Amino acid sequence: MFNRRKFIKASALSAGLLALDKTSMADVLPTNPKTAKNFPIVISTWDFGIAANADAWKVLSKGGRALDAVEQGVWVPEADEKNQSVGYGGLPDRDGHVTLDACIMDEFGNCGAVLALEHIKHPISVARKVMEKTPHVMLAGDGALRFALEQGFKKENLLTPASEKAWKEWLKTAKYAPVMNVENKLYEKAAPQKLPGNQYNHDTIGMLAIDDKGNISGACTTSGMAYKLHGRIGDSPIIGAGLYIDNEIGGATSTGVGEEVVRNVGSFLVVELMRQGFTPEAACKEAVMRIIKKKPETAKNIQVGFLAINKNGEYGAYAIQQGFSYAVCNAEKQDLLIKGKSYY
Ligand code: ASP
């Protein structure tokens, strides 16, 4: 941040641009011109990001577009029935419906989203169709399903026996109190039948990629908070909350208790902080601090994590609680898993 400020000051002085405000300076100055090219690259949330990144890398390593990479990357957890927080096999709402939220955003600022979509295994691809085939950004519920079917998507039962069993177990107490930091442990065990019925599971895959041309895209997809009220929407399909891309600056995505991310328009905030010169990690930390400052008592008992990448392919993350991991894949290493820093 210090160097960039100095650079902006020096350049502005020499170009006689002192009268320009920050925005117009950003317009005339290249972004960190001396930084080496760190892309193609793909990063994504949680341990299951490793497998997702591997499929995204198949696209990126062949010179493919970041948008295709993020869509195909997140197909992996969406189709994985052992992953009970994304796509097929996701834990249902309190009425037993698996309702999926997803959004996608490209380098041109185009975006699409589906909210509370049922019966479709790959909500991310429906979100992409909303972006590409309609004048809208978001479709919800029955309308989203009808649109998906019109587009040729197959109607499927997404409630697996394991998730149905966990839900029935939960119904015995039916208490809604998300348990933080259980995500990794539950997934590592990969034994859905062992899920405690009175606990809650929530995770999201948020993926950000930069392709060989330097263009950035992102995808975010989830089944949301397990046992939520029917119709509840989290941050994940909300552009600016669960995901935001600005091709001049970078991208950000989030995971955790979506209500707190929505209240702070988290991913947009992270990107705007990077625009001001924050590193990806510092921007994620500041977004987390907003949540903590506004609701310190709530924040003690919930998890929220942000993940970000800037235009140069530099990345970082920050979470409220320990236990947030993210996966990184580039030409040097395809299966890097990094433990995100945290406030607590
Ligand atoms: N952010 C998701 C939601 O609130 C859940 C998660 O990522 O843990 O629906």
Side-chain angles (χ1 to χ4, degrees):
M1 190 170 136
F2 179 66
N3 287 340
R4 182 169 157 78
R5 280 208 177 132
K6 254 169 112 178
F7 174 70
I8 288 172
K9 204 174 162 192
S11 308
L13 277 170
S14 60
L17 295 172
L18 267 180
L20 292 177
D21 64 14
K22 266 189 193 167
T23 312
S24 43
M25 277 194 191
D27 286 345
V28 296
L29 296 173
T31 314
N32 294 345
K34 285 175 197 151
T35 309
K37 182 182 162 189
N38 296 317
F39 46 83
I41 184 169
V42 56
I43 62 176
S44 57
T45 53
W46 301 113
D47 309 22
F48 49 69
I50 292 179
N53 285 355
D55 271 24
W57 187 247
K58 287 179 193 161
V59 176
L60 294 174
S61 58
K62 289 190 198 104
R65 193 177 164 202
L67 183 71
D68 295 321
V70 295
E71 181 188 16
Q72 291 175 41
V74 303
W75 281 347
V76 176
E78 281 186 341
D80 180 0
E81 71 168 90
K82 287 193 201 126
N83 186 328
Q84 292 187 295
S85 58
V86 180
Y88 176 62
L91 289 167
D93 64 19
R94 59 182 52 198
D95 300 338
H97 300 276
V98 180
T99 65
L100 305 178
D101 295 338
C103 73
I104 194 160
M105 191 161 187
D106 75 7
E107 69 270 33
F108 303 110
N110 297 317
C111 47
V114 288
L115 292 68
L117 174 65
E118 293 186 55
H119 306 303
I120 305 291
K121 192 184 261 180
H122 290 299
I124 199 67
S125 297
V126 186
R128 182 167 177 177
K129 291 278 186 214
V130 173
M131 173 173 94
E132 291 177 341
K133 305 268 183 204
T134 81
H136 309 306
V137 168
M138 299 192 248
L139 287 180
D142 288 348
L145 176 59
R146 200 195 316 162
F147 171 74
L149 298 176
E150 281 164 13
Q151 292 294 319
F153 288 87
K154 198 171 106 197
K155 189 170 179 178
E156 295 177 64
N157 174 23
L158 304 181
L159 186 63
T160 55
S163 288
E164 187 173 8
K165 193 174 167 204
W167 168 61
K168 287 192 170 146
E169 189 63 27
W170 173 82
L171 280 176
K172 290 178 186 164
T173 52
K175 272 193 211 143
Y176 185 77
V179 174
M180 63 183 185
N181 282 340
V182 295
E183 295 92 345
N184 290 339
K185 281 183 205 128
L186 288 175
Y187 189 71
E188 275 161 22
K189 282 181 193 162
Q193 67 280 6
K194 286 188 193 158
L195 277 173
N198 61 352
Q199 290 201 348
Y200 302 85
N201 192 7
H202 61 90
D203 271 358
T204 294
I205 183 141
M207 178 178 278
L208 306 165
I210 308 183
D211 60 30
D212 196 44
K213 294 190 178 68
N215 287 323
I216 313 170
S217 289
C220 188
T221 173
T222 189
S223 53
M225 309 297 285
Y227 319 129
K228 59 196 173 187
L229 282 176
H230 185 62
R232 178 265 185 190
I233 308 295
D235 57 326
S236 307
I238 308 295
I239 296 295
L243 177 72
Y244 196 69
I245 303 293
D246 183 322
N247 206 43
E248 284 185 1
I249 304 299
T253 189
S254 61
T255 182
V257 176
E259 282 74 4
E260 300 314 316
V261 180
V262 171
R263 286 187 178 109
N264 291 279
V265 200
S267 291
F268 181 74
L269 174 61
V270 171
V271 171
E272 288 307 300
L273 289 166
M274 290 195 292
R275 190 191 307 278
Q276 291 170 25
F278 282 60
T279 63
E281 184 185 304
C284 291
K285 182 174 181 181
E286 177 60 22
V288 161
M289 293 314 294
R290 297 270 174 107
I291 293 172
I292 295 172
K293 272 183 221 154
K294 278 187 194 159
K295 289 184 182 277
E297 287 311 308
T298 306
K300 275 183 198 159
N301 299 308
I302 62 159
Q303 177 64 300
V304 170
F306 290 102
L307 176 65
I309 195 161
N310 69 17
K311 187 69 180 164
N312 301 315
E314 296 149 349
Y315 52 82
Y318 201 83
I320 300 179
Q321 313 288 344
Q322 291 172 22
F324 175 47
S325 56
Y326 64 99
V328 178
C329 171
N330 58 22
E332 276 160 33
K333 197 156 171 39
Q334 271 84 66
D335 59 355
L336 185 61
L337 186 70
I338 298 179
K339 218 172 165 223
K341 289 189 188 156
S342 63
Y343 181 75
Y344 288 111

